[in-house]
Amino acid sequence: MNDKAGASGSATTTASTAAAHGFAEWFGRQPAGVWSAPGRVNLIGEHTDYNDGFVFPFAIDRRTAVALGDRDDRVIRVASSFSPEAVTVHLDELSPDAVNGWAAYPLGVAWALGEFGADLEHSRGVDLHVASDVPIGAGLSSSAAIECAVALALDEHWGFGFDRPTLAKVGQLAENRAVGAPTGIMDQSASLLGEADAGVFLDCRSLDADVIPLGFDADGLSLLVIDTRVSHDHATGGYAARRASCEAGARALGVESLRDLRPADLERAKSLLDDETFRRVRHVVTENQRVQGTVRTLHEHGPGAIGPFLDASHVSMRDDFEISVPELDLAVATAQANGAIGARMTGGGFGGAAIALMIDALVPVVTREVAAAFAEQGFREPAMFTARPSQGARRDA
Ligand code: ADP
Ligand code: MG
């Protein structure tokens, strides 16, 4: 346990220290403050968000930090260890189309704060430097981490006083409009509301969020992320097609969204829908049940009992939603065969990562066996690391 605490502690310091150092290097002075926000893993609840359903992610022990310092004018300048160039925009010229590339995330957040009523006209300019140990594009939402770190930094520094659910919407608006990615509110909610050894149970219709203790620490459990490093060209098209099927299913069944269906409605669904649409609908209906079942089971029996929900979630995504790939199936099956409590693919599908919950001592075993199984199949070597449920966005210095 000690080594786990040490690892997450040093990871936190790394991003914040790197942001402060980068700030001094780029801008030739010390920052006024440093804020950080974590990436996230979705424990369960996949493709339920846009169906007004439930998701249950947690914030992880990998963070993006932003160091901030005042300027004498009304310019925002952003730099990142991720990029060789700083980007500058006048506060009066913020718009969702002001910049392209990575700077659209932090500058989009500054613009989005204004859309939520922040008085940017009386704010002084700032310099920002971003550093991160959230892997980019590995399904851990480095995008939400940078948005939420910047949102909290600007909110606290400029004294707007937005609550965290509103800051989550600010991050989402930035991602939707300034970046142009049609994502939901899950990632930002996890990054802003997460707590140590807890998950964020989010109702995507009401946006009510409950922090639920996970108890991984007390029970000596680890969550292993197996990033297959597979990404398919048809991921975007596949996502759009699944969304369209869900909308068609809801329309045919006369409900506003699939959230409004219960398992008892599936019989009627089967008689009304074509087989493919029916299976898409069944995934969403049963996945919502599994998310709620996971939360209830954690409360009643602890984390060692949630495995069947994770396993069933994978089967549903593989067979009903049809968004898995052989690499994900192999990662899940190998983890299960080597004693994992439960395992499933996570994220949008067509590649990306699987997660497996297990007792701490099994991590080296499962890591080794998954690597061997991938090698045997001739699959690309996966990247594997544990993700520890950790505190959400905060000020670090
Ligand atoms: P992810 O699954 O990691 O969220 P996305 O494509 O949604 O993948 O977001 C990744 C993008 O976010 C990067 O390409 C970059 O534009 C931006 N980003 C993330 N982290 C940083 C960072 N530390 N510095 C600059 N830009 C970042
Ligand atoms: Mg993202």
Side-chain angles (χ1 to χ4, degrees):
M1 291 256 93
N2 282 343
D3 56 327
K4 277 209 301 190
S8 69
S10 63
T12 299
T13 347
T14 313
S16 301
T17 311
H21 283 163
F23 185 97
E25 221 164 83
W26 269 87
F27 305 127
R29 63 190 200 280
Q30 291 306 310
V34 183
W35 287 258
S36 69
R40 64 94 189 93
V41 156
N42 190 20
L43 185 60
I44 193 162
E46 224 66 74
H47 288 266
T48 46
D49 56 350
Y50 56 80
N51 290 300
D52 280 352
F54 303 100
V55 293
F56 190 30
F58 63 81
I60 61 173
D61 53 335
R62 291 179 177 239
R63 307 180 75 86
T64 297
V66 54
L68 174 156
D70 274 316
R71 296 171 59 98
D72 293 332
D73 55 14
R74 284 189 22 86
V75 160
I76 302 197
R77 183 167 52 164
V78 290
S80 166
S81 49
F82 175 84
S83 158
E85 274 170 70
V87 178
T88 299
V89 172
H90 195 280
L91 274 173
D92 294 335
E93 280 156 17
L94 286 173
S95 84
D97 309 313
V99 291
N100 294 313
W102 73 270
Y105 292 84
L107 295 172
V109 164
W111 162 78
L113 283 166
E115 294 298 293
F116 277 83
D119 176 13
L120 296 174
E121 276 173 33
H122 297 96
S123 301
R124 259 164 76 183
V126 287
D127 285 329
L128 302 174
H129 189 274
V130 180
S132 178
D133 52 39
V134 185
I136 285 170
L140 299 176
S141 205
S142 68
S143 53
I146 186 173
E147 288 153 15
C148 296
V150 171
L152 189 68
L154 293 178
D155 176 73
E156 290 193 0
H157 182 71
W158 281 334
F160 297 140
F162 286 117
D163 61 18
R164 286 184 181 229
T166 305
L167 291 179
K169 291 184 196 163
V170 165
Q172 183 196 13
L173 184 64
E175 186 146 353
N176 291 167
R177 294 284 311 283
V179 178
T183 51
I185 192 95
M186 168 170 80
D187 301 352
Q188 294 82 1
S189 301
S191 184
L192 283 157
L193 302 173
E195 292 180 15
D197 208 10
V200 178
F201 174 48
L202 185 70
D203 178 334
C204 296
R205 173 172 276 168
S206 67
L207 299 186
D208 284 345
D210 280 328
V211 175
I212 310 285
L214 289 170
F216 290 179
D217 281 353
D219 285 11
L221 303 184
S222 286
L223 191 118
L224 183 68
V225 178
I226 304 159
D227 177 10
T228 64
R229 303 200 290 165
V230 173
S231 69
H232 278 289
D233 295 343
H234 59 269
T236 315
Y239 179 84
R242 296 306 178 279
R243 279 190 85 135
S245 289
C246 291
E247 279 161 28
R251 220 173 16 247
L253 293 162
V255 289
E256 194 190 317
S257 69
L258 297 184
R259 153 71 176 271
D260 298 310
L261 298 177
R262 300 286 167 273
D265 298 315
L266 286 174
E267 211 170 308
R268 185 170 64 96
K270 187 163 192 160
S271 66
L272 286 175
L273 303 173
D274 65 85
D275 177 61
E276 183 181 284
T277 309
F278 168 67
R279 287 184 292 112
R280 306 299 187 245
V281 167
R282 182 165 63 184
H283 165 72
V284 174
V285 172
T286 56
E287 185 78 350
N288 277 326
Q289 296 288 311
R290 286 186 288 270
V291 179
Q292 296 174 90
T294 300
V295 170
R296 203 170 46 241
T297 301
L298 273 172
H299 183 63
E300 288 169 4
H301 305 289
I306 68 171
F309 295 108
L310 304 180
D311 295 343
S313 172
H314 185 76
V315 170
S316 180
M317 281 189 281
R318 185 191 65 199
D319 298 347
D320 274 355
F321 224 58
E322 294 181 284
I323 54 173
S324 191
V325 294
E327 289 86 347
L328 288 166
D329 293 338
L330 182 64
V332 166
T334 308
Q336 288 164 338
N338 286 280
I341 290 163
R344 58 183 284 270
M345 56 163 289
T346 182
F350 308 103
I355 55 173
L357 182 66
M358 63 198 71
I359 56 168
D360 294 337
L362 271 184
V363 171
V365 179
V366 173
T367 304
R368 191 184 62 227
E369 293 301 324
V370 169
F374 270 56
E376 192 180 321
Q377 290 294 316
F379 292 159
R380 189 174 174 194
E381 188 183 359
M384 289 180 266
F385 44 85
T386 54
R388 198 167 186 232
S390 299
Q391 196 192 341
R394 62 172 184 235
R395 183 168 187 166
D396 286 326

